[in-house]
Each structure stands twice: as C-alpha cells, then as structure tokens.
Amino acid sequence: MTTQQAMITIFMVALGTIITRFLPFILFPAGRPTPKYIDYLGKLLAPAVFGLLVVYCLKNVSFLQGSRGVPELIGVAATAGLHLWKRKMLLSVAGGTAVYMLLVQLVF
Amino acid sequence: MSLSVRKKALLAAFPHTIPVMTGYLFLGMTYGVFMRASGFPAWYPMVTSLSVFAGAMEFVTVSLLMGPFNPVQALAMALMVNARHLFYGLAMLKKYAGAGVKKLYLIFGLTDETFSVNCAADAPEGVDKHLFMFFITLLDHFYWFAGASLGGLFGSLISFSTEGIDFVMTAMFVVIFLENWLKEKNHMSSLIGLGLSALCLIVFGADGFIIPAMLAILGMLTLMRKYLERGGDAA
C-alpha cells in the first residue's frame, strides 16, 4: 500500500467512526423516541460484533500447518483464564500477550 | 468565559480520568509499538490516535493497512466495529444537549471509556457541566495520543524482541468478549457473532469474510428479533 492509499484508508476509518458517533444526534434530536428496531439492535449487535472481532483476530491462524494454532489457543486460554481469575482488563491483556510472545519466541 | 471557570472545570474533571489515563497510556503505547513493529513510521500512530480516536478500531486499522487497498472495506469495518457507538450516542442525547460548539467535540470523542466516565460522573456544584465533560473527553484524547506517540517514537529502542506483540489485539477482544459474556443473561448474540463469523471465514476465506459475516449477523439478529426480544433481557 502506498502512503497515499494508507492515508485514504485511515480517512475512511475516521469517517466511519465519526458517522457512528454523530448519526444518533442527527437522526434523533433530543426528546424524540427512538424506533424499537434501533433499540433492539442497540442491545444485541454489540456482543455479536465482539464475537466477529475475536474471529477476525484469528483469521490468519492455520490449524493445518506450522504450529497449528497451538500458541494462539494457549494465548487465548491464558488471557481468558487471567480474566476469569482477577477480572482486571489490563492484567489479562498484558498477561495473555506476554504468554503468547514467550511461546512464539522461545517454544515454537 | 474566564480562565478560572475553565481551570475549575479542568481540575474537577481530572480525577475522574485517572483510571482511563492508566489504561490509555498503556494500551496507547502498546499500539504505537505494535504499529512500529508492523513496519509503519512513528507518525502513523500519531495521525490515527488523533483522527480516529477509537482504540479497538485503530488496532484493526493496522491489519487493514497491511492488507490490499480496499477503502470500502475500511469504511464498512469502521461502521461495524464502532456500531456500538450509535447506542452510546442514543444514551447521551440528553446529556450533551445544549453544549453548543463543544458538543461537536464531545460527540467526536465518544469512546467506550469516555462514554462510561461522562455517563457516570456529574459535575460538582458551580462547575459548568458541559465544560466538565469537554475536559474529560479532551484529557482522554490526550492520554491516548500521548501513549500512541511514545510507543511510536520509542518503540524501536526496545531491546527485547517484540515478535508476537500483535497478539495484544486478540487478547483485548477476547477480554471484551468475555467481559460482555459474564454480564449478559442470554448468550445468543455472542454465539451468533462467533459462529457466523467462523462459518463465513471457512466459506469466504481470510480476505473476504468480513462483509458477508456482518450481513449474516444483521440478518440473523433481524430474523430472530421476535424470539430474542421474548427471550428477554440479553446484553
């Protein structure tokens, strides 16, 4: 990707983000009720998108070649385990990443 | 507006932002280091942290920048990843009403963390509430920018190997997913997101599964609306 293409990509990401933040204020001026379908999506879209993002992060992991996704599985398990144990976001993220880095640098 | 009015609002806002400061400095630095480790110059994380200011999406942007040039996918990705902001906005319609020009920046900076702070914190007596929320947003934006810049500028000085640091994004989303899972009563939407995305990944491959997965999720949630609304209080 050229620098120009990269800047266009960043611009599109910024634009998309700005749209999601401004749209409610444009569509629903203060005081008017919001459509039920929007309320419904508001509650239910977020968890599904989080699931999509987890899959997105692991999209290039091959379970048939190389390390067969073993460091990724251990890294995810360490992150989730730490989070279930202490429930501190930064600790879980830092700990899980450290485990994964040690695995790919020293073991696999 | 006098200087002391501003100073008062800034001093009142600062304590509320301390938890966000820790998180944003750490995650921002990791983001800067990650971007350097992915082969981008230091000014890239500065530009994205200032202009996008949406942590999770900025990590995703790094993989977008490393893939083939596809601005439509970048826009679609930003819309979907940040779709939750729509609902932060809905929740802040009343709180941000009447903030004047400051409202534009308040809305621009409505990240997950800023939303939760501005949602929960009330300005003390005698402090302009819109100015108070403006400074919370501004401080958060500054922490994120400072973290990303430090990581970008000094990331290359780190003497240990950063191989595998890209996992920070996976870990972050695993934690967000899990945290939500622990809070929600009905896991159907979480499972739909994981399941349909995995299915689309198998069918369409790593480079083209995002948009089909998004459409499949929207379609499935719409089809299941009656059931899920009756099944009650998800999320």
Side-chain angles (χ1 to χ4, degrees), chain A residues 8-24:
Chain A
I8 294 170
T9 303
I10 292 171
F11 173 80
M12 294 305 266
V13 170
L15 180 69
T17 306
I18 286 168
I19 290 172
T20 60
R21 287 181 181 158
F22 276 86
L23 206 57

Side-chain angles (χ1 to χ4, degrees), chain B residues 187-201:
Chain B
H187 299 307
M188 191 54 82
S189 178
S190 295
L191 292 172
I192 286 173
L194 272 186
L196 288 181
S197 307
L199 189 69
C200 287
L201 175 60

Side-chain angles (χ1 to χ4, degrees), chain A residues 17 21 37 40 42 44 83 105, chain B residues 53 108 163 179 189 221-222:
Chain A
T17 306
R21 287 181 181 158
Y37 179 63
Y40 166 74
L44 280 139
H83 197 66
Q105 289 182 22
Chain B
F53 190 33
F108 169 81
E163 191 198 344
E179 187 59 38
S189 178
L221 286 178
T222 306

